[in-house]
Amino acid sequence: MGEDGAVTSAPQRPDGQTPAPRLIATDLDGTLLRDDKSVSPRTVAALAAAEEAGIEVFFVTGRPARWMDVVADHVHGHGLAICANGAAVVDLHAGREFVQVRALPRDTALTVVNALRAAAPGTSFAVERTTGINYEPNYPPFFQDPGATVATVEKLLHEEPDTTAAPVLKLLAHHSELSPDEFLTLARSAAGDHASITRSSPTALLEISGIGISKASTLELCCAERGISPAEVVAFGDMPNDVEMLRWAGTSYAMGNAHPDVIAAASGRTVANNEDGVAVVIERIIAERAAAQP
């Protein structure tokens, strides 16, 4: 398919007018970033053009704040990013300072741990806090953290007596035998009444947040503060943790490399992340805006 030919049209209002975008919300890995985790020059230019045109850009990712250096130089204006699947809002202009935290209660996390151990024996866990990640001995750390504590998840979730423990942003659960989607379906059945469970990894690695916490719910809060409606948001994503956000946004695009559930949730499609699919759409938005000027 041709580059622009692979991008479907944006949905329209009954009167035939497409809502003017005021905010772009984009996932990072598999979406804005290329597979080598870089931001292409074309994408850098498109992000800057959007901000110059008065369209705010929000990075909305499952990544923790400490992994945001890759895009820290490309967030303009407000400087904010939504991290940990909506569990945190951080200020990239202020050294990744936490602006808002939507913590996972530790007793809820333990309830989920017990449910998953019963439903999927062999599950191992990690605990992502505002201060970093800690994990069980048999959990496969995908990014080695020399400062991590290695212990049972019960110990990792133990409340310190002085109540100064860093908030838990999300619980991570890994299984070495189940397929990713099989593990997700099983976990939601076993523990979905207690927490929000999703995934973004190609492996059987689940990301577990407090009930009702998602990229969509935190983005909705950020947009409400700015008086921006869902109809004025354009969102991009590629994995199941993007589904709620794509359904919420007035216009949404699944990447050419997206998971089938993402394709079903989005209102449009663009080309793959390695083909700068986000930039392709932003460029078209900017061009249409310029053409509409008197």
Side-chain angles (χ1 to χ4, degrees), residues 67 122-127 133-145 148 150 172-177 183 201 203-206:
W67 291 356
T123 301
S124 59
F125 297 93
V127 178
I133 190 169
N134 301 306
Y135 40 81
E136 292 193 302
N138 56 339
Y139 178 86
F142 299 96
F143 293 87
Q144 293 288 347
D145 187 338
V150 180
L172 299 166
H174 180 268
H175 204 282
S176 59
E177 297 178 5
F183 192 26
S201 170
T203 66
L205 176 65
L206 304 183

Side-chain angles (χ1 to χ4, degrees), residues 93-271:
H93 289 337
R96 298 170 299 188
E97 174 184 330
F98 286 93
V99 174
Q100 181 181 18
V101 172
R102 306 179 71 192
L104 171 65
R106 295 182 183 213
D107 57 347
T108 300
L110 284 171
T111 297
V112 173
V113 165
N114 293 331
L116 292 189
R117 280 190 171 151
T123 301
S124 59
F125 297 93
V127 178
E128 178 71 49
R129 305 200 293 188
T130 53
T131 52
I133 190 169
N134 301 306
Y135 40 81
E136 292 193 302
N138 56 339
Y139 178 86
F142 299 96
F143 293 87
Q144 293 288 347
D145 187 338
T149 297
V150 180
T152 64
V153 70
E154 288 83 1
K155 183 175 181 180
L156 297 176
L157 289 170
H158 179 68
E159 287 281 7
E160 283 78 352
D162 61 4
T163 68
T164 60
V168 175
L169 295 177
K170 61 181 178 179
L171 180 71
L172 299 166
H174 180 268
H175 204 282
S176 59
E177 297 178 5
L178 296 173
S179 70
D181 285 335
E182 181 184 13
F183 192 26
L184 178 59
T185 299
L186 180 64
R188 284 176 170 171
S189 176
D193 290 340
H194 303 288
S196 298
I197 306 174
T198 190
R199 76 174 189 87
S200 59
S201 170
T203 66
L205 176 65
L206 304 183
E207 303 163 62
I208 301 160
S209 306
I211 196 76
I213 296 174
S214 67
K215 291 184 175 186
S217 63
T218 301
L219 178 62
E220 182 176 16
L221 292 173
C222 292
C223 287
E225 291 174 353
R226 291 160 173 75
I228 296 174
S229 70
E232 297 169 310
V233 177
V234 180
F236 299 86
D238 73 306
M239 288 295 279
N241 65 330
D242 297 313
V243 165
E244 293 92 343
M245 178 175 72
L246 299 180
R247 287 176 176 161
W248 177 82
T251 304
S252 58
Y253 291 91
M255 307 304 293
N257 50 290
H259 185 281
D261 289 352
V262 174
I263 294 171
S267 59
R269 294 190 69 180
T270 185
V271 292

